[in-house]
């Protein structure tokens, strides 16, 4: 394949992989006049994931939480090039990334050379620095049947798939007599995983049933049952007990059938097999028929990243993500940095972490661009940690600002902190408003912020739009 050297040769080229929290936050903050910036991602928009659970039922419109990469890139000074392409291989020895193009239009910056890759064309992009921020992918733990029959909730197409399947199941059930077991199956929606994705999705679906579907299909809503299955004894286990107990109370009150200490081990097209640990230590196996299955049991690294583990001896022990040093430099390299879910920095895989890592790294890049000969010295350095320290580059320090989760019925839980100091910990309707204000403030663009507020205002007057085919 063609090898592409990007931009002006007097500046180092920084290739960023991804267009999610890590990549876009880095792009927003990096001084792009000091580098040739190349962003590579098959997804041509940033996705504000915290509001993705609101999308399947239309509390928030999908388009409101998508922001084109171009709108971030266009705000930058200097040379920024975007490839709508998937990185298929990272080659640390020759400092290139192999990419497969997704579209015919690749170069968006007016100043940069339009290299004119065709759709599906393979090329290699030469980098001086690489920042991997490709996130992670849903983990099925190898449980048979999940890929074929379950819906994940990670990307926009997942949201559409859940909506389509759910409405289709309700419509099909509506044709059947009340006592038909097939009707009961179709109206059972199972969510596996009581982490924040599973809980928020279950809560949003229940809101839609209680607040909107009731007016369209009053004869059927009372028969719809959401089942939430969690292997651990509690849901949302990153919160303190007071808040998880409150969360469980709200879920049960809103009619969600919560099954804790229950692990799903097998999925068939119309039912799943779950094992529940009873109080006496015995295991009870149950067969749960379902119409729609949402699978939200967390993430695992992408193959692009696990393949890289094998190419760098210092990463041979890696399993959750690229092991990074205190400056987020990938151990065993002196030019690859990893941020967000594809990095293992002993921090949770959250947007908050990815965002702070990206801000930190952009500052590091600004700083090193001002240190004479730093780039050259780093290239030949065998102890990059020492070089960073000698030049006064401080280690990354994560400041935990808290956790928030929506439960449904306009109730949320929140624990707002600054590092180890706690400012607020509570649950209820007030917390729901706190949740909304904080989420809006976290959105990365003004346009998206405006659209989300407009969506919330709209549903308050006219209810949700949850059209099957959109
Ligand atoms: P991502 O944001 O996932 O971005 C990865 C990017 O890489 C994407 O653009 C993708 O298209 C791209 N990519 C994938 N493969 C390739 C490839 N081969 N080549 C190039 N690019 C590639 N965290 C919170 O802190 N608060 C929340 O409220 C919250 N809510 C969430 C709700 C949901 C439903 C989900 C799924 C996650 C939520 N998270 C939340 C977690 C948060 O979204 C992730 O931790 C965060 O997105 C990680 O950022 P990232 O940049 O590592 O990955
Ligand atoms: P998670 O890893 O946080 O939770 C997955 C849950 O699934 C776990 O509680 C696990 O015990 C359970 N599980 C695993 N296998 C199971 C099985 N076979 N049967 C039953 N239960 C099983 O995953 P998530 O909720 O997708 O979150 C991923 C990351 O994104 C986390 O870091 C989370 O904090 C973050 N996130 C945050 C928010 C928020 O802050 N509101 C929302 C969504 C996601």
């Amino acid at each position: 394949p063609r090898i592409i050297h990007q931009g002006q040769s007097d500046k180092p080229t920084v290739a960023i992989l991804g267009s999610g929290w890590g990549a876009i936050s880095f792009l927003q903050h990096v001084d792009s006049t000091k580098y040739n910036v190349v962003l590579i991602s098959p997804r041509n928009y940033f996705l504000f994931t915290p509001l993705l659970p609101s999308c399947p039922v239309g509390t928030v419109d999908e388009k409101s939480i998508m922001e084109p990469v171009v709108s971030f890139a266009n705000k930058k000074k200097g040379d920024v090039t975007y490839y709508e392409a998937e990185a298929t291989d990272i080659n640390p020895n020759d400092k290139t990334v192999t990419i497969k193009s997704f579209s015919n239009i690749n170069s968006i910056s007016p100043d940069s050379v339009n290299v004119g890759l065709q759709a599906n064309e393979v090329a290699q992009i030469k980098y001086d620095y690489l920042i991997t921020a490709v996130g992670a992918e849903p983990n099925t733990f190898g449980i048979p049947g999940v890929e074929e029959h379950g819906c994940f909730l990670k990307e926009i197409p997942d949201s559409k798939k859940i909506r389509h399947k759910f409405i289709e199941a309700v419509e099909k059930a509506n044709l059947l007599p009340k006592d038909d077991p097939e009707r009961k199956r179709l109206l059972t929606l199972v969510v596996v995983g009581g982490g924040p994705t599973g809980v928020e999705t279950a809560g949003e679906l229940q809101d839609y049933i209680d607040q909107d579907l009731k007016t369209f299909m009053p004869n059927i809503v009372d028969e719809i049952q959401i089942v939430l299955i969690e292997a651990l004894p509690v849901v949302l286990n990153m919160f303190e007990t007071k808040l998880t107990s409150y969360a469980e109370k709200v879920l049960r009150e809103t009619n969600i059938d919560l099954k804790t200490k229950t692990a799903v081990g097998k999925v068939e097209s119309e039912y799943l097999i779950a094992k529940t640990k009873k109080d006496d230590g015995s295991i009870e196996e149950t067969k749960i028929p379902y119409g729609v299955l949402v699978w939200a049991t967390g993430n695992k690294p992408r193959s692009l990243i696990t393949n890289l583990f094998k190419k760098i001896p210092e990463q041979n022990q890696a399993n959750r993500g690229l092991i990074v040093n205190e400056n987020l430099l990938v151990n065993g390299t002196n030019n690859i940095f990893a941020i967000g879910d594809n990095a293992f920095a002993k921090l949770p895989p959250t947007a908050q972490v990815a965002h702070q890592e990206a801000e930190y790294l952009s500052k590091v890049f600004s700083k090193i661009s001002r240190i004479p000969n730093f780039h050259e010295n780093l290239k030949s350095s065998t102890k990059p940690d020492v070089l960073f320290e000698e030049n006064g580059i401080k280690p990354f320090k994560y400041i935990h600002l808290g956790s928030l989760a929506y439960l449904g019925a306009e109730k949320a839980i929140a624990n707002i902190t600054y590092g180890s100091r706690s400012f607020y910990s509570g649950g209820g309707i007030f917390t729901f408003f706190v949740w909304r204000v904080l989420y809006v403030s976290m959105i990365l663009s003004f346009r998206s912020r405006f659209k989300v507020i407009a969506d919330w205002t709209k549903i308050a007057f006219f209810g949700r739009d949850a059209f099957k085919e959109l």
Side-chain angles (χ1 to χ4, degrees):
R2 203 146 47 112
I3 299 181
I4 299 169
H5 294 258
Q6 203 71 45
Q8 298 148 350
S9 56
D10 59 331
K11 288 192 239 168
T13 296
V14 182
I16 310 165
L17 305 184
S19 52
W21 276 101
I24 294 296
S25 308
F26 180 82
L27 177 67
Q28 277 192 312
H29 294 99
V30 69
D31 182 351
S32 46
T33 61
K34 299 286 195 301
Y35 298 92
N36 301 310
V37 179
V38 182
L39 192 130
I40 299 158
S41 176
R43 193 181 77 191
N44 62 18
Y45 54 87
F46 166 76
L47 176 64
F48 184 75
T49 49
L51 287 174
L52 186 59
S54 301
C55 290
V57 296
T59 307
V60 168
D61 182 26
E62 275 107 2
K63 289 197 277 309
S64 303
I65 58 166
M66 298 158 70
E67 186 68 45
V69 170
V70 185
S71 31
F72 296 102
N74 280 348
K75 292 199 179 82
K76 300 300 291 184
K77 291 194 190 105
D79 198 4
V80 178
T81 302
Y82 168 53
Y83 288 94
E84 190 174 333
E86 183 187 356
T88 54
D89 203 12
I90 297 168
N91 322 297
N93 287 339
D94 53 9
K95 296 208 274 176
T96 62
V97 186
T98 309
I99 65 165
K100 189 174 172 212
S101 179
F102 268 43
S103 80
N104 293 314
I105 312 152
N106 298 93
S107 187
I108 51 137
S109 164
D111 303 334
S112 66
V113 193
N114 191 329
V115 291
L117 285 185
Q118 310 263 316
N120 294 320
E121 200 178 326
V122 173
Q124 287 189 323
I125 308 289
K126 190 94 183 152
Y127 64 78
D128 295 295
Y129 294 106
L130 181 69
I131 295 169
T132 70
V134 296
E137 60 187 35
N139 198 353
T140 65
F141 298 96
I143 295 170
V146 179
E147 293 273 2
E148 297 93 300
H149 311 300
C151 307
F152 302 116
L153 186 63
K154 188 91 176 79
E155 298 290 342
I156 290 293
D158 301 329
S159 163
K160 295 183 175 181
K161 186 174 165 189
I162 294 172
R163 175 161 67 243
H164 184 95
K165 284 204 165 193
F166 175 60
I167 297 180
E168 197 176 54
V170 174
E171 283 174 357
K172 273 189 190 162
N174 205 22
L175 299 174
L176 299 170
K178 286 250 179 204
D179 54 355
D180 191 330
E182 180 64 0
R183 178 172 165 119
K184 188 162 189 281
R185 175 186 76 79
L186 286 166
L187 295 178
T188 307
L189 193 148
V190 177
V191 178
V192 181
T197 304
V199 169
E200 292 187 336
T201 307
E204 290 276 0
L205 283 157
Q206 190 67 48
D207 279 357
Y208 175 64
I209 295 162
D210 293 342
Q211 297 166 11
D212 298 87
L213 206 56
K214 226 178 195 133
T215 49
F216 300 125
M217 300 175 118
N219 60 325
I220 205 164
V221 278
D222 294 339
E223 295 167 68
I224 304 176
Q225 181 64 60
I226 296 179
V227 183
L228 177 61
I229 303 181
E230 167 56 51
L232 299 174
V234 286
V235 294
L236 301 171
N237 76 329
M238 73 280 276
F239 287 93
E240 59 199 288
T241 318
K242 179 184 89 177
L243 295 183
T244 56
S245 308
Y246 174 75
E248 291 185 354
K249 184 173 139 271
V250 172
L251 292 171
R252 291 206 163 98
E253 276 170 7
T254 49
N255 193 34
I256 291 173
D257 178 8
L258 177 60
K259 295 186 192 301
T260 49
K261 295 188 197 159
T262 303
V264 175
K266 193 176 173 201
V267 173
E268 296 288 347
S269 62
E270 298 191 346
Y271 66 89
L272 52 81
I273 303 289
K275 287 184 176 162
T276 307
K277 196 166 181 213
K278 310 293 275 182
D279 290 341
D280 63 5
S282 64
I283 304 281
E284 186 188 52
E285 195 175 279
T286 32
K287 180 176 162 182
I288 305 174
Y290 68 84
V292 183
L293 172 66
V294 177
W295 192 266
T297 63
N299 300 322
K300 67 168 193 219
R302 294 186 193 277
S303 59
L304 178 74
I305 299 300
T306 53
N307 289 341
L308 189 57
F309 293 166
K310 294 174 207 143
K311 295 184 186 181
I312 304 167
E314 286 81 350
Q315 299 292 329
N316 286 349
Q317 302 298 316
N319 55 44
R320 282 164 58 188
L322 290 159
I323 306 167
V324 292
N325 76 1
E326 289 187 323
N327 305 109
L328 307 178
L329 183 67
V330 171
N331 285 358
T333 77
N334 39 12
N335 47 26
I336 306 179
F337 294 84
I339 52 178
D341 288 3
N342 70 16
F344 180 67
K346 301 192 185 85
L347 292 168
T350 64
Q352 199 184 154
V353 169
H355 183 74
Q356 288 187 27
E357 288 177 340
E359 276 192 326
Y360 163 82
L361 199 57
S362 63
K363 283 190 196 131
V364 170
F365 270 74
S366 298
K367 189 151 187 187
I368 64 176
S369 72
R370 291 193 298 266
I371 303 172
N373 301 324
F374 189 92
H375 298 307
E376 291 308 314
N377 293 342
L378 182 57
K379 256 185 216 163
S380 55
S381 167
T382 50
K383 290 200 170 79
D385 309 50
V386 177
L387 185 70
F388 275 81
E389 203 186 326
E390 280 171 358
N391 283 285
I393 296 159
K394 294 203 177 78
F396 170 65
K397 200 166 163 275
Y398 171 64
I399 297 167
H400 185 58
L401 302 176
S403 308
L404 300 151
Y406 180 60
L407 307 170
E410 303 191 336
K411 291 182 180 117
I413 53 172
N415 179 19
I416 297 164
T417 58
Y418 188 86
S420 54
R421 285 172 63 192
S422 178
F423 289 101
Y424 174 82
S425 162
I429 292 180
F430 171 73
T431 311
F432 167 66
F433 288 103
V434 173
W435 174 87
R436 278 196 164 175
V437 170
L438 290 177
Y439 270 32
V440 162
S441 69
M442 277 157 58
I443 297 178
L444 297 186
S445 74
F446 182 73
R447 170 197 155 277
S448 197
R449 226 173 258 172
F450 175 84
K451 289 196 76 174
V452 165
I453 294 170
D455 287 346
W456 285 338
T457 313
K458 190 222 75 187
I459 64 159
F461 291 102
F462 305 108
R464 291 169 179 79
D465 299 326
F467 299 110
K468 192 171 64 175
E469 301 303 338
L470 288 180

